[in-house]
C-alpha cells in the first residue's frame, strides 16, 4: 500500500467473499460484501478480485469516480440477477450509461429493450402533417411512398352565411378524417390543409403522386333570395374513394397496368378452362342423348 494526498491504493487478493466493504460512489456511500461485488463477470469483479488496484480514502472508503444515483440498482442486480428499472426514460438512459461502464451486458440489454418499448409508447398512434403552403403539399405528396388523402377545411374562406346544418357537417367530415387516419395508419398518408384556396371543405385522393379523385363537400344554395354556403357530409363516397386509393399502396404497381395484366392472364388460360355454362349444358344434353 502507498499513501498520497490522504488516499491510498489497495489490492483485494484473497479477501473473504463475506467481508463487508465500504464504497464511496460519487459521494454516495454504500455497504456491500465482496461476494456481491465479484458475483458476475464485469468491471467490479475486475476491480475487487485483485486484478486491479482501487483507491481508498483515509477512512477506508473505496472511491469509485462515478455517479452514485443508480448504484443501488447496480448492487441489487448483482445480488439477485435482476432489479426494478426506473420508470422515466431519462433515468433509464442514465442507468444504461452506468451499466455500460461496469460492463454489465445483461443489464445493458434490459435497459435498451425498455428504452425501445418506451419509444414505441411515446410515439403517437399516427402522424397527420398539417400543410401550410402549396409547395409543401406537393413535396409531401411527391415523396410519399403511400397513397395520400388530403382534407382541406377552412371555414373562414366563406363570404356567405352558412346553412343551419353546415357546422355540424363540417365537424362530421373532420371526425371521419380522424377515424380513417387511425384505421388506415401505415397504409395511407393523411394530411390536413387549413390554408387552402377558395374551397371550404374538400377531400382529395392521390396515388403515385397524382390526383385520382376529389370530393367537394360545399355548394351554394339560395334561401329567401340570399346566397348561403352548404357543407355536406358524403360519408359513403368518402369511404369508397378511401378504399379505392388503397390500390395505389405500392409505387411499383400501377393499378391500371395490374388490371390489364390480370385480363391478359385470363386470355392466356387454356380454352378448356373457359367453357361457358351454356356449353356445359349442351355437352350434358348430348351425353344424355347418347345413352
Amino acid at each position: 500500500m502507498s499513501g498520497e494526498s490522504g488516499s491510498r491504493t489497495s489490492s483485494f487478493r484473497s479477501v473473504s467473499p463475506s467481508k463487508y466493504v465500504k464504497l464511496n460512489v460519487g459521494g454516495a456511500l454504500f455497504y456491500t460484501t465482496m461476494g456481491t461485488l465479484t458475483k458476475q463477470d464485469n468491471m467490479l469483479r475486475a476491480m475487487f478480485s485483485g486484478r486491479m488496484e482501487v483507491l481508498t480514502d483515509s477512512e477506508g472508503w473505496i472511491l469509485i469516480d462515478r455517479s452514485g444515483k443508480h448504484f443501488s440498482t447496480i448492487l441489487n442486480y448483482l445480488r439477485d440477477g435482476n432489479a426494478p428499472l426506473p420508470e422515466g426514460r431519462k433515468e433509464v438512459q442514465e442507468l444504461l450509461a452506468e451499466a455500460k461502464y461496469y460492463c454489465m451486458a445483461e443489464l445493458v440489454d434490459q435497459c435498451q429493450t425498455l428504452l425501445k418499448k418506451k419509444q414505441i409508447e411515446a410515439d403517437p398512434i399516427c402522424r397527420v402533417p398539417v400543410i401550410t403552403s402549396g409547395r409543401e403539399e406537393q413535396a409531401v405528396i411527391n415523396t410519399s411512398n403511400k397513397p395520400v388523402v388530403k382534407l382541406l377545411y377552412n371555414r373562414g374562406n366563406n363570404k356567405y352565411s352558412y346553412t343551419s346544418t353546415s357546422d355540424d357537417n363540417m365537424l362530421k367530415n373532420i371526425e371521419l378524417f380522424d377515424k380513417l387516419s387511425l384505421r388506415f395508419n401505415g397504409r395511407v398518408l393523411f394530411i390536413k390543409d387549413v390554408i387552402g384556396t377558395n374551397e371550404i371543405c374538400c377531400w382529395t385522393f392521390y396515388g403515385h403522386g397524382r390526383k385520382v379523385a376529389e370530393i367537394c363537400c360545399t355548394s351554394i344554395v339560395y334561401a329567401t333570395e340570399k346566397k348561403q354556403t352548404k357543407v355536406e357530409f358524403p360519408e359513403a363516397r368518402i369511404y369508397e374513394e378511401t378504399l379505392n386509393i388503397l390500390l395505389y399502396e405500392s409505387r411499383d404497381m400501377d393499378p391500371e397496368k395490374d388490371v390489364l395484366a390480370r385480363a391478359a392472364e385470363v386470355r392466356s388460360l387454356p380454352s378448356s378452362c373457359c367453357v361457358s355454362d351454356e356449353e356445359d349444358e349442351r355437352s350434358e344434353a348430348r351425353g344424355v342423348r347418347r345413352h
Side-chain angles (χ1 to χ4, degrees), residues 162 170 198-202 215-220 229-232:
Y162 283 96
M170 178 77 84
N198 293 323
E199 297 290 347
I200 295 169
C201 184
C202 184
I215 301 174
C216 182
C217 303
T218 54
S219 59
I220 302 298
T229 299
K230 180 182 180 181
V231 179
E232 300 171 333

Side-chain angles (χ1 to χ4, degrees), residues 27-268:
L29 307 180
F30 299 89
Y31 282 100
T32 188
T33 65
M34 188 65 65
T36 295
L37 293 173
T38 58
K39 193 171 184 179
Q40 299 182 18
D41 188 13
N42 51 50
M43 176 72 76
L44 289 169
R45 173 185 280 185
M47 291 174 64
F48 294 98
S49 62
R51 287 179 281 169
M52 300 173 58
E53 291 188 336
V54 296
L55 189 67
T56 61
D57 64 12
S58 57
E59 297 181 0
W61 291 90
I62 300 167
L63 304 176
I64 300 178
D65 189 19
R66 296 293 297 180
S67 170
K69 181 177 179 179
H70 299 287
F71 196 74
S72 58
T73 303
I74 297 290
L75 288 179
N76 287 333
Y77 191 85
L78 291 174
R79 294 182 184 114
D80 305 324
N82 60 75
L85 301 184
E87 291 291 332
R89 179 178 177 82
K90 180 182 177 182
E91 286 73 19
V92 177
Q93 290 174 327
E94 293 171 350
L95 178 59
L96 174 61
E98 297 306 305
K100 286 181 176 180
Y101 174 80
Y102 294 114
C103 302
M104 301 174 67
E106 292 184 1
L107 183 56
V108 168
D109 290 342
Q110 290 185 21
C111 289
Q112 290 176 335
T113 300
L114 181 57
L115 286 173
K116 290 179 181 177
K117 180 181 178 181
K118 288 183 176 294
Q119 181 62 42
I120 294 173
E121 293 173 348
D123 282 342
I125 295 176
C126 66
R127 294 184 175 90
V128 177
V130 177
I131 300 303
T132 58
S133 69
R135 180 180 297 179
E136 181 183 10
E137 174 186 322
Q138 202 59 47
V140 170
I141 293 170
N142 289 340
T143 57
S144 175
N145 59 359
K146 295 180 287 188
V148 178
V149 174
K150 182 189 77 171
L151 173 61
L152 182 156
Y153 65 94
N154 190 345
R155 193 178 186 281
N157 281 347
N158 189 34
K159 57 183 178 180
Y160 307 114
S161 62
Y162 283 96
T163 60
S164 59
T165 59
S166 290
D167 283 337
D168 185 47
N169 284 336
M170 178 77 84
L171 182 60
K172 287 180 179 178
N173 277 282
I174 297 171
E175 288 177 342
L176 179 57
F177 177 89
D178 293 340
K179 290 178 182 178
L180 291 174
S181 64
L182 291 173
R183 178 176 177 180
F184 296 105
N185 178 41
R187 300 181 64 185
V188 177
L189 174 63
F190 288 83
I191 62 177
K192 286 183 178 180
D193 186 344
V194 296
I195 305 298
T197 54
N198 293 323
E199 297 290 347
I200 295 169
C201 184
C202 184
W203 294 75
T204 312
F205 304 83
Y206 300 88
H208 299 172
R210 66 179 188 271
K211 181 167 71 175
V212 296
E214 186 175 84
I215 301 174
C216 182
C217 303
T218 54
S219 59
I220 302 298
V221 298
Y222 288 87
T224 63
E225 300 182 354
K226 290 176 58 179
K227 289 183 178 180
Q228 285 187 307
T229 299
K230 180 182 180 181
V231 179
E232 300 171 333
F233 179 50
E235 183 177 12
R237 283 191 62 202
I238 295 167
Y239 267 112
E240 180 183 4
E241 294 299 345
T242 302
L243 292 175
N244 288 340
I245 206 68
L246 292 176
L247 291 171
Y248 295 84
E249 278 192 271
S250 173
R251 277 192 177 272
D252 299 328
M253 179 189 298
D254 188 321
E256 296 177 2
K257 292 181 180 178
D258 186 47
V259 171
L260 294 175
R262 291 183 182 180
E265 288 177 3
V266 172
R267 288 196 298 270
S268 67

